[in-house]
Amino acid sequence: MNMIIRSSDIAQWERFYRANFINSLTAYKPAVLIGTQNGEGLHNLAIFSNVFHLGADPALIGYIQRPIGQSGHTYTNIKETGYYTMNLVHEEIVEKAHYSSARFDKGVSEFEETNLTAEYIDGFLAPFVKESKIKFGLEFVQEIPIELNNTIMVIGKINVVQIEEDMVESDGNIDAASAKIVATLGLEKYMQVGNFIKLPYANVKGK
Amino acid sequence: MNMIIRSSDIAQWERFYRANFINSLTAYKPAVLIGTQNGEGLHNLAIFSNVFHLGADPALIGYIQRPIGQSGHTYTNIKETGYYTMNLVHEEIVEKAHYSSARFDKGVSEFEETNLTAEYIDGFLAPFVKESKIKFGLEFVQEIPIELNNTIMVIGKINVVQIEEDMVESDGNIDAASAKIVATLGLEKYMQVGNFIKLPYANVKGK
């Protein structure tokens, strides 16, 4: 049975119930590990789902940084060094990737704590996740503060990509499903994804 | 075999190959039909995938509006009326939803062309998609121009939600998989999604 929920209801909900509901309302999001290092070379790794395509030419990717509190090393490292990596999560590394979200003590590298392996590619100045099958390095280009809720949109330009050759189809599409890349739903769920249907650029029928 | 692709390579690629590759690099995105109407009540319906969660309290959703050219009625209607709806796409309406992206003549309603049904819910001033199982109405609150590539981040506050009661789990999570909500990959692919694993809030081990 359909039910109607109004903003006044949502405002009164218990905090975690509301977070779960609103975070899952747009359904599926990417599961991305962001790798950084600070000026002393200490690594950081954190999982993000609010990552989105901003444009293909130039190739720009955005992510939403939550308000900086005790955590937020991803953001401070990006600001300090100017570089970061995004590493897609596949089924075999889901638990390790999720564990990166625990609040470790300061000075601890999430790479070590999660047993994911830091690797450097092509001289790029931030660590990648060796186990990830689709990963790219970004150069910080702009941050846009969103004053409504004290978040920040962080924009990066793609500098380098590492991917297995046979995952790239002849038209440039990436076969994420055969690489067993997962999607996220809400804050706690990781989802298996399978190919379904490919629909070419839509033209008006009968024209 | 792993290959390295640099930004200089990407810049030289053929336009559609590059768009496919960059659009699928972050893997899965939501598939959302945005419903609007103009000041005369003419409906518009368009599919978007660059939709993202901005915050739960207040409940804010963002989307990226591409540069406004000949199309862009979604954006102009939002600016004219202040209201819009987001309607999640499930497996049974994928073809109709995708067809909303064809370039119809001015003055045509995509609801009629796609055979999706406009409905009004709870006095909200923009049309919903009756066939959608998870849908919500948004009030426009802010737009942020992204000068880097002439796109716009459009931010809305959730005003009303319609959802089937049994899709909402006891902790507030929405069971999008059983509703057969699809994800998108790149510009042309719609993906089936199944439940995989639920991992609770991560705590540091051994503490």
Side-chain angles (χ1 to χ4, degrees):
Chain A
M1 200 182 118
N2 275 328
M3 63 175 169
I4 303 280
I5 299 161
R6 298 185 184 83
S7 54
S8 53
D9 302 321
I10 295 170
Q12 288 174 9
W13 283 346
E14 185 274 330
R15 181 182 154 212
F16 292 103
Y17 186 95
R18 176 174 53 228
N20 286 335
F21 184 86
I22 301 295
N23 269 283
S24 54
L25 198 52
T26 50
Y28 311 116
K29 295 180 265 203
V32 178
L33 284 163
I34 300 187
T36 56
Q37 61 184 46
N38 69 11
E40 282 76 51
L42 178 67
H43 294 158
N44 188 271
L45 189 67
I47 192 157
F48 285 79
S49 64
N50 291 330
V51 173
F52 48 91
H53 172 86
L54 257 180
D57 188 22
L60 300 173
I61 305 290
Y63 85 88
I64 301 296
Q65 174 67 53
R66 290 161 55 81
I68 308 294
Q70 289 191 297
S71 57
H73 291 131
T74 297
Y75 174 74
T76 52
N77 288 350
I78 291 171
K79 293 303 296 290
E80 192 172 346
T81 67
Y83 295 95
Y84 52 116
T85 70
M86 292 194 175
N87 307 269
L88 268 53
V89 176
H90 57 83
E91 291 177 21
E92 286 157 38
I93 61 170
V94 161
E95 279 95 346
K96 292 177 178 178
H98 185 71
Y99 187 49
S100 71
S101 63
R103 287 179 184 269
F104 299 105
D105 291 335
K106 212 178 157 183
V108 164
S109 163
E110 291 85 0
F111 279 99
E112 283 174 30
E113 297 296 324
T114 59
N115 282 317
L116 290 166
T117 313
E119 79 170 342
Y120 288 88
I121 294 176
D122 203 43
F124 190 78
L125 293 167
F128 290 85
V129 175
K130 188 179 172 66
E131 292 82 358
S132 174
K133 296 175 183 172
I134 301 173
K135 46 199 156 188
F136 46 99
L138 294 142
E139 187 180 342
F140 170 75
V141 285
Q142 191 182 1
E143 62 176 323
I144 300 179
I146 300 165
E147 287 167 12
L148 280 164
N149 65 354
N150 206 22
T151 55
I152 302 167
M153 176 162 65
V154 178
I155 303 175
K157 184 175 174 298
I158 295 175
N159 190 304
V160 61
V161 180
Q162 188 190 79
I163 188 168
E164 284 177 30
E165 203 167 346
D166 58 8
M167 285 182 198
V168 184
E169 297 168 357
S170 59
D171 59 3
N173 274 299
I174 295 171
D175 187 4
S178 78
K180 297 190 182 296
I181 304 298
V182 298
T184 63
L185 174 64
L187 297 164
E188 300 174 336
K189 283 186 184 173
Y190 297 85
M191 317 294 280
Q192 280 178 325
V193 180
N195 279 310
F196 173 47
I197 190 170
K198 185 171 181 176
L199 296 170
Y201 186 89
N203 289 304
V204 178
K205 287 168 191 164
K207 275 213 169 175
Chain B
M1 199 181 118
N2 275 328
M3 63 176 169
I4 304 280
I5 299 161
R6 300 186 183 81
S7 53
S8 53
D9 301 321
I10 295 170
Q12 288 174 8
W13 283 347
E14 185 273 330
R15 181 182 154 210
F16 292 103
Y17 186 95
R18 177 173 53 228
N20 286 334
F21 184 86
I22 301 296
N23 269 282
S24 53
L25 199 53
T26 52
Y28 311 116
K29 296 180 266 201
V32 177
L33 285 162
I34 300 187
T36 56
Q37 60 184 46
N38 68 11
E40 281 76 53
L42 178 68
H43 294 158
N44 188 272
L45 189 68
I47 192 158
F48 285 79
S49 64
N50 292 329
V51 173
F52 48 93
H53 171 86
L54 258 180
D57 188 23
L60 300 174
I61 305 289
Y63 85 88
I64 301 296
Q65 174 67 52
R66 289 161 55 82
I68 308 295
Q70 288 191 298
S71 56
H73 292 130
T74 297
Y75 174 75
T76 53
N77 288 350
I78 290 171
K79 292 303 297 288
E80 190 170 348
T81 67
Y83 295 95
Y84 52 116
T85 70
M86 290 192 176
N87 308 269
L88 268 52
V89 175
H90 58 83
E91 291 178 19
E92 286 159 37
I93 61 170
V94 162
E95 279 95 346
K96 291 176 178 178
H98 185 72
Y99 187 48
S100 71
S101 63
R103 289 180 181 267
F104 298 106
D105 290 336
K106 214 178 155 181
V108 164
S109 163
E110 289 85 359
F111 278 99
E112 283 175 31
E113 297 295 326
T114 59
N115 282 316
L116 290 166
T117 313
E119 79 171 341
Y120 287 88
I121 294 175
D122 202 44
F124 190 78
L125 291 168
F128 289 85
V129 175
K130 188 179 172 69
E131 291 81 358
S132 175
K133 296 174 182 175
I134 301 173
K135 45 199 158 188
F136 46 99
L138 295 142
E139 187 179 341
F140 169 75
V141 285
Q142 191 183 0
E143 63 177 320
I144 299 179
I146 301 165
E147 287 166 12
L148 279 166
N149 65 354
N150 206 20
T151 56
I152 302 167
M153 177 163 63
V154 178
I155 303 175
K157 184 177 175 298
I158 294 175
N159 191 304
V160 61
V161 180
Q162 189 189 77
I163 189 168
E164 284 177 31
E165 204 165 345
D166 58 9
M167 283 180 201
V168 185
E169 297 168 357
S170 60
D171 60 2
N173 274 301
I174 295 171
D175 186 3
S178 78
K180 295 188 182 298
I181 305 298
V182 297
T184 61
L185 174 64
L187 297 164
E188 299 175 336
K189 282 187 183 173
Y190 296 86
M191 317 295 280
Q192 280 177 326
V193 181
N195 280 309
F196 171 47
I197 190 169
K198 185 171 181 175
L199 296 172
Y201 186 89
N203 290 303
V204 177
K205 287 168 192 163
K207 277 212 168 174

